[in-house]
Every structure is written in structure tokens, then in C-alpha cells.
Coordinates of all heavy atoms in Angstrom, one line a residue:
M473 N -15.2 -4.1 2.1 CA -14.6 -2.9 2.6 C -15.7 -2.1 3.3 O -16.8 -1.9 2.7 CB -14.0 -2.1 1.5 CG -13.1 -0.9 2.0 SD -11.7 -1.4 2.9 CE -10.8 -2.3 1.6
L474 N -15.5 -1.7 4.5 CA -16.5 -0.9 5.3 C -16.3 0.6 5.0 O -15.2 1.0 4.8 CB -16.4 -1.2 6.8 CG -16.6 -2.6 7.2 CD1 -16.3 -2.7 8.7 CD2 -18.0 -3.1 6.9
S475 N -17.4 1.3 5.1 CA -17.3 2.7 5.0 C -16.8 3.3 6.3 O -17.1 2.7 7.4 CB -18.7 3.3 4.7 OG -19.5 3.3 5.8
P476 N -16.0 4.3 6.3 CA -15.5 4.9 7.5 C -16.6 5.3 8.5 O -16.5 5.2 9.7 CB -14.8 6.2 7.1 CG -14.4 5.8 5.7 CD -15.5 5.0 5.1
A477 N -17.8 5.7 7.9 CA -18.9 6.1 8.8 C -19.4 4.9 9.6 O -19.8 5.0 10.7 CB -20.0 6.7 7.9
L478 N -19.5 3.7 8.9 CA -20.0 2.5 9.6 C -19.0 2.1 10.7 O -19.4 1.7 11.8 CB -20.1 1.4 8.5 CG -20.9 0.2 9.0 CD1 -22.2 0.5 9.6 CD2 -21.1 -0.8 7.9
V479 N -17.7 2.2 10.4 CA -16.7 1.9 11.4 C -16.8 2.8 12.6 O -16.7 2.4 13.7 CB -15.3 1.9 10.8 CG1 -14.2 1.8 11.9 CG2 -15.1 0.9 9.7
A480 N -17.1 4.1 12.3 CA -17.2 5.1 13.3 C -18.4 4.7 14.2 O -18.4 4.9 15.4 CB -17.3 6.5 12.8
E481 N -19.5 4.3 13.6 CA -20.7 3.9 14.3 C -20.4 2.7 15.2 O -20.8 2.7 16.4 CB -21.8 3.6 13.3 CG -23.1 3.1 14.0 CD -23.8 4.2 14.7 OE1 -23.3 5.4 14.7 OE2 -24.8 3.9 15.4
V482 N -19.7 1.7 14.7 CA -19.3 0.6 15.5 C -18.5 1.0 16.7 O -18.7 0.6 17.8 CB -18.6 -0.5 14.7 CG1 -18.0 -1.6 15.5 CG2 -19.5 -1.1 13.6
R483 N -17.5 1.9 16.4 CA -16.7 2.3 17.5 C -17.5 3.1 18.6 O -17.2 3.0 19.8 CB -15.6 3.3 17.0 CG -14.6 2.6 16.1 CD -13.5 3.5 15.7 NE -12.3 2.9 16.0 CZ -11.1 3.5 15.9 NH1 -11.1 4.7 15.5 NH2 -10.0 2.9 16.2
R484 N -18.4 3.9 18.1 CA -19.2 4.7 19.1 C -20.0 3.7 20.0 O -20.1 3.9 21.2 CB -20.2 5.6 18.3 CG -20.9 6.6 19.1 CD -21.8 7.5 18.3 NE -22.9 6.7 17.7 CZ -24.0 6.3 18.4 NH1 -24.1 6.6 19.7 NH2 -25.0 5.6 17.9
L485 N -20.6 2.7 19.4 CA -21.4 1.7 20.1 C -20.5 0.9 21.1 O -20.9 0.6 22.2 CB -22.1 0.7 19.2 CG -23.3 1.4 18.3 CD1 -23.7 0.4 17.3 CD2 -24.4 1.8 19.2
L486 N -19.3 0.6 20.6 CA -18.4 -0.1 21.5 C -18.0 0.8 22.7 O -17.9 0.3 23.8 CB -17.1 -0.4 20.7 CG -17.2 -1.6 19.8 CD1 -16.0 -1.7 18.8 CD2 -17.3 -2.9 20.5
A487 N -17.8 2.1 22.4 CA -17.4 3.0 23.5 C -18.5 3.2 24.5 O -18.3 3.4 25.7 CB -17.0 4.4 22.8
E488 N -19.8 3.2 24.0 CA -20.9 3.3 24.9 C -20.9 2.2 25.9 O -21.3 2.3 27.1 CB -22.2 3.3 24.1 CG -22.5 4.7 23.6 CD -23.9 4.7 22.9 OE1 -24.6 3.7 22.9 OE2 -24.2 5.7 22.3
G489 N -20.6 1.0 25.4 CA -20.5 -0.2 26.3 C -21.8 -0.8 26.7 O -21.8 -1.6 27.6
R490 N -22.9 -0.4 26.1 CA -24.2 -0.9 26.5 C -24.5 -2.2 25.7 O -25.3 -3.0 26.2 CB -25.3 0.2 26.3 CG -25.2 1.3 27.4 CD -26.5 2.1 27.3 NE -26.4 3.0 26.1 CZ -27.4 3.3 25.3 NH1 -28.6 2.7 25.5 NH2 -27.3 4.1 24.3
L491 N -24.0 -2.3 24.5 CA -24.3 -3.4 23.7 C -23.1 -4.4 23.6 O -21.9 -3.9 23.6 CB -24.7 -3.0 22.3 CG -25.9 -2.0 22.1 CD1 -26.1 -1.7 20.7 CD2 -27.1 -2.7 22.7
S492 N -23.4 -5.7 23.5 CA -22.3 -6.6 23.3 C -21.8 -6.5 21.9 O -22.5 -6.0 21.0 CB -22.8 -8.1 23.6 OG -23.8 -8.4 22.6
Q493 N -20.7 -7.1 21.6 CA -20.1 -7.1 20.2 C -21.1 -7.8 19.3 O -21.3 -7.4 18.2 CB -18.8 -7.7 20.2 CG -17.7 -6.8 20.9 CD -16.3 -7.4 20.7 OE1 -16.1 -8.3 19.9 NE2 -15.4 -6.8 21.4
R494 N -21.7 -8.9 19.8 CA -22.6 -9.6 19.0 C -23.8 -8.7 18.6 O -24.3 -8.7 17.5 CB -23.1 -10.8 19.8 CG -24.1 -11.7 19.0 CD -24.9 -12.6 20.0 NE -24.0 -13.6 20.5 CZ -24.1 -14.9 20.3 NH1 -25.1 -15.3 19.5 NH2 -23.3 -15.8 20.8
R495 N -24.3 -8.0 19.6 CA -25.5 -7.1 19.3 C -25.1 -6.0 18.4 O -25.9 -5.6 17.5 CB -25.9 -6.5 20.7 CG -27.2 -5.8 20.6 CD -28.4 -6.8 20.8 NE -29.7 -6.1 20.6 CZ -30.4 -6.1 19.5 NH1 -29.9 -6.8 18.5 NH2 -31.5 -5.4 19.4
I496 N -23.9 -5.4 18.6 CA -23.4 -4.3 17.7 C -23.3 -4.8 16.3 O -23.7 -4.2 15.3 CB -22.1 -3.8 18.2 CG1 -22.3 -3.1 19.5 CG2 -21.5 -2.9 17.1 CD1 -21.0 -2.7 20.2
A497 N -22.9 -6.1 16.1 CA -22.8 -6.6 14.8 C -24.1 -6.8 14.1 O -24.3 -6.4 13.0 CB -22.1 -8.0 14.9
A498 N -25.1 -7.2 14.9 CA -26.5 -7.4 14.4 C -27.1 -6.0 14.1 O -27.8 -5.9 13.0 CB -27.3 -8.1 15.5
V499 N -26.8 -5.0 14.9 CA -27.4 -3.7 14.7 C -26.8 -3.0 13.5 O -27.5 -2.4 12.7 CB -27.2 -2.8 15.9 CG1 -27.5 -1.3 15.6 CG2 -28.1 -3.3 17.1
T500 N -25.5 -3.1 13.3 CA -24.8 -2.3 12.2 C -24.7 -3.1 10.9 O -24.5 -2.6 9.9 CB -23.4 -1.9 12.7 OG1 -22.7 -3.1 13.0 CG2 -23.4 -1.0 13.9
G501 N -24.9 -4.5 11.0 CA -24.9 -5.3 9.8 C -23.5 -5.7 9.4 O -23.3 -6.3 8.4
V502 N -22.5 -5.5 10.3 CA -21.1 -6.0 10.0 C -20.9 -7.3 10.7 O -21.7 -7.6 11.6 CB -20.0 -5.0 10.4 CG1 -20.3 -3.6 9.7 CG2 -19.9 -4.8 11.9
S503 N -19.9 -8.0 10.3 CA -19.7 -9.3 10.9 C -19.1 -9.2 12.3 O -18.5 -8.1 12.7 CB -18.7 -10.1 10.1 OG -17.4 -9.6 10.2
R504 N -19.3 -10.2 13.2 CA -18.8 -10.1 14.5 C -17.3 -10.0 14.6 O -16.7 -9.4 15.4 CB -19.2 -11.3 15.3 CG -20.7 -11.2 15.7 CD -21.1 -12.5 16.4 NE -20.3 -12.8 17.6 CZ -20.3 -14.0 18.2 NH1 -21.0 -15.0 17.7 NH2 -19.6 -14.2 19.2
T505 N -16.7 -10.7 13.6 CA -15.2 -10.6 13.5 C -14.7 -9.2 13.3 O -13.8 -8.7 13.9 CB -14.7 -11.5 12.3 OG1 -15.2 -12.8 12.5 CG2 -13.2 -11.5 12.2
T506 N -15.5 -8.5 12.4 CA -15.1 -7.1 12.1 C -15.3 -6.2 13.3 O -14.4 -5.4 13.7 CB -15.9 -6.6 11.0 OG1 -15.7 -7.4 9.8 CG2 -15.6 -5.1 10.6
V507 N -16.4 -6.4 14.1 CA -16.6 -5.7 15.3 C -15.5 -5.9 16.3 O -15.0 -5.0 16.9 CB -18.0 -6.1 15.9 CG1 -18.2 -5.4 17.3 CG2 -19.1 -5.6 15.0
S508 N -15.1 -7.2 16.4 CA -14.0 -7.6 17.3 C -12.7 -6.9 16.9 O -12.0 -6.4 17.7 CB -13.9 -9.1 17.3 OG -12.7 -9.5 18.0
N509 N -12.5 -6.9 15.6 CA -11.2 -6.2 15.1 C -11.2 -4.8 15.4 O -10.2 -4.2 15.8 CB -11.1 -6.4 13.6 CG -10.7 -7.8 13.2 OD1 -10.1 -8.6 14.1 ND2 -10.9 -8.3 12.0
I510 N -12.4 -4.1 15.2 CA -12.5 -2.7 15.5 C -12.3 -2.4 17.0 O -11.6 -1.5 17.4 CB -13.8 -2.1 15.0 CG1 -13.9 -2.2 13.5 CG2 -14.0 -0.7 15.5 CD1 -15.3 -1.9 12.9
A511 N -12.8 -3.3 17.8 CA -12.7 -3.2 19.3 C -11.2 -3.3 19.7 O -10.8 -2.7 20.6 CB -13.5 -4.3 19.9
R512 N -10.5 -4.1 18.9 CA -9.0 -4.3 19.2 C -8.2 -3.2 18.5 O -6.9 -3.3 18.6 CB -8.6 -5.7 18.8 CG -8.9 -6.7 19.9 CD -8.4 -8.1 19.5 NE -9.3 -8.6 18.5 CZ -9.0 -9.8 17.8 NH1 -7.9 -10.4 18.0 NH2 -9.8 -10.2 16.9
G513 N -8.8 -2.3 17.9 CA -8.0 -1.2 17.3 C -7.6 -1.3 15.9 O -6.9 -0.5 15.3
R514 N -8.1 -2.4 15.2 CA -7.7 -2.6 13.8 C -8.7 -1.8 13.0 O -9.9 -1.5 13.4 CB -7.8 -4.0 13.4 CG -6.8 -4.8 14.2 CD -6.7 -6.2 13.7 NE -6.0 -7.1 14.6 CZ -6.0 -8.4 14.5 NH1 -6.7 -9.0 13.6 NH2 -5.3 -9.1 15.4
R515 N -8.3 -1.4 11.8 CA -9.1 -0.5 11.0 C -9.3 -1.2 9.6 O -8.6 -1.0 8.7 CB -8.4 0.8 10.7 CG -8.2 1.6 12.0 CD -9.5 2.0 12.7 NE -10.2 2.8 11.8 CZ -10.1 4.1 11.8 NH1 -9.3 4.7 12.6 NH2 -10.8 4.8 10.9
P516 N -10.4 -2.0 9.5 CA -10.7 -2.7 8.2 C -11.0 -1.7 7.1 O -11.0 -2.1 6.0 CB -11.9 -3.6 8.6 CG -12.5 -3.0 9.8 CD -11.4 -2.3 10.5
D517 N -11.3 -0.5 7.5 CA -11.7 0.5 6.4 C -10.4 1.1 5.8 O -10.4 1.6 4.7 CB -12.6 1.5 6.9 CG -12.0 2.3 8.1 OD1 -11.3 1.6 8.9 OD2 -12.3 3.4 8.3
Y518 N -9.3 1.1 6.6 CA -8.1 1.7 6.1 C -7.0 0.6 6.1 O -6.2 0.6 6.9 CB -7.7 2.8 7.0 CG -8.7 4.0 7.0 CD1 -9.1 4.5 8.2 CD2 -9.1 4.5 5.8 CE1 -10.0 5.5 8.2 CE2 -10.0 5.6 5.8 CZ -10.5 6.1 7.0 OH -11.4 7.1 7.0
A519 N -7.0 -0.2 5.1 CA -5.9 -1.2 4.9 C -4.6 -0.5 4.7 O -4.6 0.4 3.8 CB -6.2 -2.2 3.8
P520 N -3.6 -0.8 5.4 CA -2.3 -0.1 5.2 C -1.7 -0.5 3.9 O -1.4 -1.6 3.6 CB -1.4 -0.6 6.4 CG -2.0 -1.9 6.7 CD -3.5 -1.8 6.5
R521 N -1.6 0.5 3.0 CA -1.1 0.3 1.7 C 0.1 1.2 1.4 O 0.4 1.5 0.2 CB -2.2 0.5 0.6 CG -3.0 -0.8 0.4 CD -4.0 -0.5 -0.7 NE -5.1 -1.5 -0.5 CZ -6.2 -1.3 -1.2 NH1 -6.4 -0.3 -2.0 NH2 -7.2 -2.2 -1.0
H522 N 0.7 1.7 2.4 CA 1.8 2.7 2.2 C 3.0 1.9 1.6 O 3.4 0.9 2.2 CB 2.1 3.4 3.5 CG 2.9 4.6 3.2 ND1 2.4 5.7 2.7 CD2 4.2 4.8 3.5 CE1 3.4 6.6 2.6 NE2 4.5 6.1 3.1
Q523 N 3.5 2.4 0.6 CA 4.7 1.8 0.0 C 5.8 2.9 -0.2 O 5.5 4.1 0.0 CB 4.4 1.2 -1.4 CG 3.4 0.0 -1.2 CD 3.2 -0.7 -2.5 OE1 3.6 -0.2 -3.6 NE2 2.6 -1.8 -2.5
G524 N 7.0 2.4 -0.5 CA 8.1 3.4 -0.6 C 8.0 4.2 -1.9 O 7.0 4.1 -2.6
D525 N 9.0 5.0 -2.1 CA 9.0 5.9 -3.2 C 9.8 5.4 -4.4 O 10.3 6.1 -5.2 CB 9.5 7.3 -2.8 CG 8.6 7.9 -1.8 OD1 7.4 7.7 -1.8 OD2 9.1 8.6 -0.9
E526 N 9.9 4.1 -4.4 CA 10.8 3.5 -5.4 C 10.2 3.6 -6.8 O 11.0 3.6 -7.8 CB 11.1 2.0 -5.1 CG 12.1 1.8 -4.1 CD 11.6 0.8 -3.1 OE1 10.5 0.9 -2.5 OE2 12.3 -0.2 -2.9
L527 N 9.0 3.8 -6.9 CA 8.3 3.9 -8.3 C 8.5 5.3 -8.8 O 8.0 5.6 -9.9 CB 6.9 3.5 -8.2 CG 6.7 2.0 -8.0 CD1 5.2 1.7 -7.9 CD2 7.3 1.2 -9.1
D528 N 9.1 6.2 -8.1 CA 9.2 7.6 -8.6 C 10.5 7.6 -9.5 O 11.5 8.0 -9.1 CB 9.4 8.5 -7.4 CG 9.3 10.0 -7.8 OD1 8.9 10.2 -8.9 OD2 9.7 10.8 -7.0
L529 N 10.3 7.2 -10.7 CA 11.4 6.9 -11.6 C 11.9 8.2 -12.3 O 13.0 8.5 -12.4 CB 11.0 5.9 -12.7 CG 10.6 4.5 -12.2 CD1 10.2 3.6 -13.3 CD2 11.8 3.9 -11.4
A530 N 11.0 9.0 -12.8 CA 11.3 10.2 -13.6 C 11.8 11.3 -12.7 O 11.0 12.3 -12.4 CB 10.2 10.6 -14.5
C531 N 13.0 11.2 -12.1 CA 13.4 12.1 -11.1 C 14.5 13.1 -11.7 O 14.6 14.2 -11.2 CB 13.9 11.4 -9.9 SG 15.2 10.2 -10.3
G532 N 15.3 12.6 -12.6 CA 16.4 13.4 -13.1 C 15.9 14.4 -14.2 O 14.8 14.4 -14.6
P533 N 16.9 15.2 -14.6 CA 16.6 16.2 -15.7 C 16.4 15.4 -17.1 O 17.1 14.4 -17.3 CB 17.8 17.1 -15.7 CG 18.9 16.3 -15.2 CD 18.3 15.3 -14.2
L534 N 15.6 16.0 -17.9 CA 15.4 15.4 -19.3 C 16.6 15.8 -20.1 O 16.9 17.0 -20.2 CB 14.1 15.9 -19.9 CG 13.7 15.2 -21.2 CD1 13.5 13.7 -20.9 CD2 12.4 15.8 -21.7
G535 N 17.3 14.9 -20.8 CA 18.4 15.3 -21.6 C 18.8 14.2 -22.5 O 18.2 13.2 -22.6
R536 N 19.9 14.5 -23.3 CA 20.4 13.5 -24.3 C 21.4 12.6 -23.6 O 22.4 13.0 -23.1 CB 21.1 14.3 -25.4 CG 21.5 13.5 -26.6 CD 20.4 13.0 -27.4 NE 19.7 14.0 -28.1 CZ 18.6 13.9 -28.8 NH1 18.1 12.7 -29.0 NH2 18.0 14.9 -29.4
C537 N 21.1 11.3 -23.7 CA 22.0 10.3 -23.1 C 23.2 10.1 -23.9 O 23.2 9.9 -25.1 CB 21.2 9.0 -23.0 SG 22.3 7.6 -22.4
P538 N 24.4 10.2 -23.3 CA 25.7 10.0 -24.1 C 25.9 8.6 -24.5 O 26.7 8.3 -25.4 CB 26.8 10.5 -23.1 CG 26.1 10.3 -21.7 CD 24.6 10.6 -21.9
G539 N 25.2 7.7 -23.8 CA 25.4 6.3 -24.1 C 24.6 5.8 -25.3 O 25.1 5.2 -26.3
C540 N 23.3 6.0 -25.3 CA 22.4 5.5 -26.4 C 21.9 6.6 -27.3 O 21.3 6.3 -28.3 CB 21.3 4.7 -25.8 SG 20.1 5.7 -24.8
G541 N 22.1 7.9 -26.9 CA 21.7 9.0 -27.7 C 20.2 9.3 -27.6 O 19.7 10.2 -28.3
G542 N 19.5 8.6 -26.7 CA 18.1 8.9 -26.6 C 17.8 10.0 -25.7 O 18.7 10.4 -24.9
R543 N 16.6 10.6 -25.9 CA 16.2 11.7 -25.0 C 15.5 11.1 -23.8 O 14.4 10.5 -23.9 CB 15.2 12.6 -25.7 CG 15.6 14.1 -25.6 CD 14.8 14.9 -26.6 NE 14.0 15.9 -25.9 CZ 14.5 16.9 -25.2 NH1 15.8 17.1 -25.1 NH2 13.7 17.7 -24.5
V544 N 16.2 11.1 -22.7 CA 15.7 10.3 -21.5 C 15.8 11.2 -20.2 O 16.5 12.3 -20.2 CB 16.5 9.0 -21.3 CG1 16.4 8.1 -22.5 CG2 18.0 9.4 -21.1
F545 N 15.3 10.7 -19.2 CA 15.5 11.3 -17.9 C 16.8 10.7 -17.4 O 17.0 9.5 -17.2 CB 14.4 10.9 -16.9 CG 13.1 11.6 -17.2 CD1 12.1 10.9 -17.8 CD2 12.9 13.0 -16.9 CE1 10.9 11.6 -18.1 CE2 11.7 13.6 -17.2 CZ 10.7 12.9 -17.8
L546 N 17.8 11.6 -17.1 CA 19.1 11.2 -16.7 C 19.1 10.9 -15.2 O 18.5 11.6 -14.4 CB 20.1 12.3 -17.1 CG 20.2 12.6 -18.6 CD1 21.1 13.8 -18.8 CD2 20.8 11.3 -19.3
P547 N 19.9 10.0 -14.7 CA 20.7 9.1 -15.6 C 19.9 8.1 -16.4 O 18.8 7.7 -15.9 CB 21.6 8.4 -14.5 CG 20.8 8.4 -13.3 CD 20.0 9.6 -13.3
C548 N 20.4 7.7 -17.5 CA 19.6 6.8 -18.4 C 19.5 5.4 -17.9 O 20.4 4.7 -17.6 CB 20.4 6.7 -19.8 SG 19.5 5.7 -21.0
R549 N 18.2 5.1 -17.7 CA 17.9 3.8 -17.1 C 18.2 2.7 -18.1 O 18.6 1.6 -17.7 CB 16.5 3.7 -16.6 CG 16.2 4.7 -15.5 CD 14.8 4.6 -15.1 NE 14.4 3.3 -14.5 CZ 14.8 2.9 -13.3 NH1 15.4 3.7 -12.5 NH2 14.5 1.7 -12.9
L550 N 17.9 2.9 -19.4 CA 18.2 1.9 -20.4 C 19.6 1.5 -20.4 O 20.0 0.3 -20.4 CB 17.7 2.5 -21.8 CG 18.0 1.5 -23.0 CD1 17.3 0.2 -22.8 CD2 17.6 2.2 -24.2
C551 N 20.5 2.5 -20.4 CA 21.9 2.2 -20.5 C 22.4 1.5 -19.2 O 23.3 0.7 -19.2 CB 22.7 3.5 -20.7 SG 22.6 4.1 -22.4
H552 N 21.8 1.9 -18.1 CA 22.1 1.3 -16.8 C 21.8 -0.2 -16.9 O 22.6 -1.1 -16.5 CB 21.3 2.0 -15.7 CG 21.5 1.3 -14.4 ND1 22.7 1.3 -13.6 CD2 20.6 0.5 -13.7 CE1 22.5 0.6 -12.5 NE2 21.3 0.1 -12.5
V553 N 20.6 -0.5 -17.4 CA 20.1 -1.9 -17.5 C 21.0 -2.7 -18.4 O 21.4 -3.8 -18.2 CB 18.7 -2.0 -18.0 CG1 18.3 -3.4 -18.3 CG2 17.7 -1.4 -16.9
R554 N 21.4 -2.0 -19.6 CA 22.3 -2.7 -20.5 C 23.6 -3.0 -19.9 O 24.2 -4.0 -20.2 CB 22.5 -1.8 -21.8 CG 21.3 -1.8 -22.7 CD 21.5 -0.9 -23.9 NE 20.4 -1.0 -24.9 CZ 20.2 -0.2 -25.8 NH1 21.0 0.9 -26.0 NH2 19.2 -0.4 -26.7
A555 N 24.1 -2.0 -19.1 CA 25.4 -2.2 -18.5 C 25.4 -3.4 -17.5 O 26.3 -4.2 -17.5 CB 25.9 -0.9 -17.8
V556 N 24.3 -3.4 -16.8 CA 24.2 -4.5 -15.8 C 24.1 -5.9 -16.6 O 24.7 -6.8 -16.2 CB 22.9 -4.3 -14.9 CG1 22.6 -5.6 -14.1 CG2 23.2 -3.1 -14.0
A557 N 23.3 -5.9 -17.7 CA 23.2 -7.1 -18.4 C 24.5 -7.5 -19.0 O 24.8 -8.7 -19.0 CB 22.1 -6.9 -19.5
A558 N 25.2 -6.6 -19.6 CA 26.5 -6.9 -20.2 C 27.5 -7.4 -19.2 O 28.3 -8.3 -19.4 CB 27.1 -5.6 -20.9
R559 N 27.5 -6.8 -18.0 CA 28.4 -7.3 -16.9 C 28.0 -8.7 -16.6 O 28.9 -9.5 -16.4 CB 28.2 -6.4 -15.7 CG 29.4 -6.4 -14.8 CD 29.5 -5.1 -14.0 NE 28.3 -4.9 -13.2 CZ 27.7 -3.8 -12.9 NH1 28.2 -2.7 -13.4 NH2 26.6 -3.7 -12.2
G560 N 26.7 -9.0 -16.5 CA 26.3 -10.4 -16.1 C 26.8 -11.4 -17.2 O 27.2 -12.5 -16.8
K561 N 26.7 -11.0 -18.5 CA 27.2 -11.8 -19.5 C 28.6 -12.2 -19.4 O 29.1 -13.3 -19.5 CB 26.9 -11.1 -20.9 CG 25.7 -11.8 -21.7 CD 25.6 -11.1 -23.0 CE 24.1 -11.1 -23.4 NZ 23.9 -10.2 -24.6
K562 N 29.4 -11.1 -19.2 CA 30.9 -11.3 -19.1 C 31.2 -12.2 -17.9 O 32.1 -13.1 -18.1 CB 31.5 -9.9 -18.8 CG 31.9 -9.2 -20.1 CD 32.6 -7.9 -19.7 CE 32.4 -6.9 -20.9 NZ 32.6 -5.5 -20.4
Q563 N 30.5 -12.0 -16.8 CA 30.8 -12.9 -15.6 C 30.5 -14.3 -15.9 O 31.3 -15.2 -15.6 CB 30.0 -12.4 -14.4 CG 30.7 -11.2 -13.8 CD 29.8 -10.5 -12.7 OE1 28.7 -11.0 -12.5 NE2 30.3 -9.5 -12.1
S564 N 29.3 -14.6 -16.5 CA 29.0 -16.0 -16.8 C 29.8 -16.6 -17.9 O 30.1 -17.8 -17.9 CB 27.5 -16.0 -17.2 OG 27.3 -15.3 -18.4
G565 N 30.4 -15.7 -18.8 CA 31.2 -16.2 -19.9 C 32.6 -16.6 -19.4 O 33.2 -17.4 -20.0
A566 N 33.0 -16.0 -18.3 CA 34.4 -16.2 -17.8 C 34.5 -17.6 -17.2 O 35.6 -18.0 -16.9 CB 34.8 -15.1 -16.8
E567 N 33.4 -18.2 -16.9 CA 33.5 -19.4 -16.1 C 33.4 -20.6 -17.0 O 33.1 -20.6 -18.2 CB 32.3 -19.5 -15.2 CG 32.5 -18.5 -14.0 CD 31.3 -18.6 -13.1 OE1 30.4 -19.4 -13.2 OE2 31.3 -17.7 -12.2
Ligands
LIG1784 ZN1 21.1 5.7 -22.6

């Protein structure tokens, strides 16, 4: 992983246009592949890791679940999972 400062230096040298990518790689100590990637607009220092908000589980109010009686964030995920599992059992048992 490259530091943003190093990437910025590579970009600056690329923008100057006086050094070849090979020379820039030698001067900055990064690989020619990385210099080439930076020249093409890729950012090896900032790998895209943006993910959705699906892991934001504790979203509901904390309360007493009417299904299992537990103190949970409603709607109760445990009861939801149990309901899905029970439904699956019924379906497979009918065949
Ligand atoms: Zn429950």
C-alpha cells in the first residue's frame, strides 16, 4: 500500500512530463506498474472498499419481543430467523 504523499509525488512527476514512467519509478521507489496505474488514473492508495449499509443491524427500538420474550432491537431478528427456518421445514416436509 502506497502512502498518499508518495502517490501525489508520482502524479506531480507525471504531470511535469519531464521524466519517463520508468525514471519516475526509479526515483520514487514504486514499481513501474504502479506508476503506470497512477498515470491511468487508478489510485492504489485508495482501494475502493465502500459497501452497503446492510450491516447496520441495530436500527429498531429496544423492546420486549412478543415472540420469544427477549429484550431485543425490534423487529426481533431471532424470531424472524426462526420463522424462516420453520417455514423451510414445513415446505420440505410437505414433499
Ligand atoms: Zn423474538
Side-chain angles (χ1 to χ4, degrees):
M473 191 66 65
L474 297 177
S475 73
L478 191 54
V479 172
E481 177 69 4
V482 171
R483 294 186 125 187
R484 191 180 66 76
L485 292 171
L486 284 167
E488 278 184 5
R490 285 190 286 138
L491 300 178
S492 66
Q493 289 187 10
R494 179 198 291 247
R495 191 86 185 98
I496 292 171
V499 166
T500 57
V502 304
S503 73
R504 284 176 58 197
T505 303
T506 301
V507 173
S508 170
N509 283 341
I510 293 170
R512 277 181 283 171
R514 297 189 194 165
R515 301 294 300 269
D517 56 331
Y518 297 128
R521 273 184 206 166
H522 196 72
Q523 295 185 347
D525 297 323
E526 282 134 304
L527 289 179
D528 190 15
L529 298 178
C531 53
L534 189 62
R536 186 70 68 183
C537 172
C540 65
R543 229 168 118 67
V544 298
F545 289 103
L546 298 172
C548 178
R549 296 181 61 79
L550 176 59
C551 287
H552 173 73
V553 169
R554 281 179 175 166
V556 170
R559 203 158 58 218
K561 250 182 212 168
K562 270 182 207 159
Q563 278 171 359
S564 62
E567 288 176 7

